Amino acid sequence: MKMCSKQFYVTTPLIESVKLGEIVNYPVLLKYENCQPIGSYKIRGISRLISQKYNDGARHFITASSGNAGLAVAYCARGLDVPATILIPNCSPKCIIDQITRLKGKVIIFGNDWNEANAEALRIASKDGLTYITPFDDPLIWTGISSVVDELKQQLDVEPSCVVVSVGGGGFLAGILQGLKKNNWSNVPLVAVETIGAASLNACVISGNHVTLPKVETIAHSLKAKQVSSRIFEACINREHPIISMTVTDDDALDACFKFLDDHRFLVEPACGATLATVYNGSLNRLDDKAVVNLNSGPVVVMVCGGAAVSLEQLNVWKQELLQKKYLSD
């Protein structure tokens, strides 16, 4: 049987942002995961899981995704010369559908959000005997993502004061958590950021229960999971690691995307903008003021998770949507 020995992801740069450092008055380092072949960190975990499934005999993959996980599955399947079927909710931007199709992925548009698309993907996988790939909830995915912290350990000569990361289903957070433990950085706080309209982790932290949101409403489509993974819920409730839950508005997330484009010449999704917003809007400094984190103890590492479901045109569409929403609410 043919086996997979490829590594689909690349080592990404860690670069100081003088501009963001001036805002928080401490060194800020950007881990540019948007420089991955598909434009986001998703390739790390998805490629690890797909490679294992392929070596176990899988030859047709299926997933549900608002964009980046689907793109990662299509990219890996193309590299292995096997088919991939991607269920995309109807709220997904056209640019992500075009990119998946370009990679020979079969796109099925289904449902109003990821949860509905995922239920259909699971049904098709069972009916047709396809191999389902979860976008975030598998230990192999977390192991793959943990490689980003292995790189940080090599790139840094000091321990960071904190790592700032966005949260949807929780796969990125789970992988970074695993990587911090593996590299003996168990005391480095994780600042976990969500948009208010999709803040399932924040709801868990407040209530102490594994909350499923009745609905998600945010322009950050990559964060549109109604429930965070059990792995992250348990880590928070059991206080396994210092995880600080933060929320930002859609307006702040989108504003951060525009500012980041001006400051660093990169287009990123609002899911990434949510992370950057903690710097731009002063939230990170307020954590320092309250002694929740000690920004003086080392550089701030911001995970630029990236995202391929974005264009300048799409950013302006979201801007108009938010302005219209604000107008109707006034």
Side-chain angles (χ1 to χ4, degrees), residues 133-209:
I133 300 296
T134 174
F136 55 84
D137 201 8
D138 189 285
L140 283 175
I141 285 182
W142 310 333
T143 297
I145 292 171
S146 72
S147 62
V148 75
V149 185
D150 298 339
E151 291 173 19
L152 283 176
K153 188 77 170 184
Q154 295 296 318
Q155 293 167 324
L156 278 171
D157 55 7
V158 294
E159 188 173 284
S161 62
C162 64
V163 176
V164 190
V165 58
S166 61
V167 185
F172 199 20
L173 186 59
I176 293 172
L177 175 61
Q178 182 173 318
L180 290 174
K181 287 185 174 183
K182 180 171 58 172
N183 286 283
N184 298 315
W185 280 352
S186 295
N187 294 320
V188 175
L190 278 167
V191 180
V193 190
E194 301 169 288
T195 51
I196 290 173
S200 58
L201 173 60
N202 192 253
C204 293
V205 171
I206 291 171
S207 69
N209 298 311

Side-chain angles (χ1 to χ4, degrees), residues 27 60 68 88 159 166 175 177 191 193 258 264 267 278 307 315 321:
H60 190 155
N68 295 299
I88 298 284
E159 188 173 284
S166 61
L177 175 61
V191 180
V193 190
F258 280 108
H264 296 86
L267 272 170
T278 64
L315 286 181
E321 287 178 3

Side-chain angles (χ1 to χ4, degrees), residues 30 32 256-266 276 280:
L30 302 176
Y32 279 110
C257 291
F258 280 108
K259 287 178 177 176
F260 193 68
L261 178 58
D262 282 342
D263 294 339
H264 296 86
R265 304 298 188 265
F266 279 115
L276 296 164
Y280 281 117

Side-chain angles (χ1 to χ4, degrees), residues 9-15 30-37 40-41 43-44 147-148 151-152 155 303-304:
Y9 68 87
V10 300
T11 298
T12 54
L14 179 71
I15 300 175
L30 302 176
K31 184 62 170 163
Y32 279 110
E33 285 296 286
N34 59 319
C35 293
Q36 292 292 351
S40 86
Y41 75 93
I43 193 68
R44 291 183 185 269
S147 62
V148 75
E151 291 173 19
L152 283 176
Q155 293 167 324
M303 291 292 181
V304 183

Side-chain angles (χ1 to χ4, degrees), residues 1 49 88 277 286 307:
M1 180 185 295
L49 180 58
I88 298 284
R286 287 191 285 275

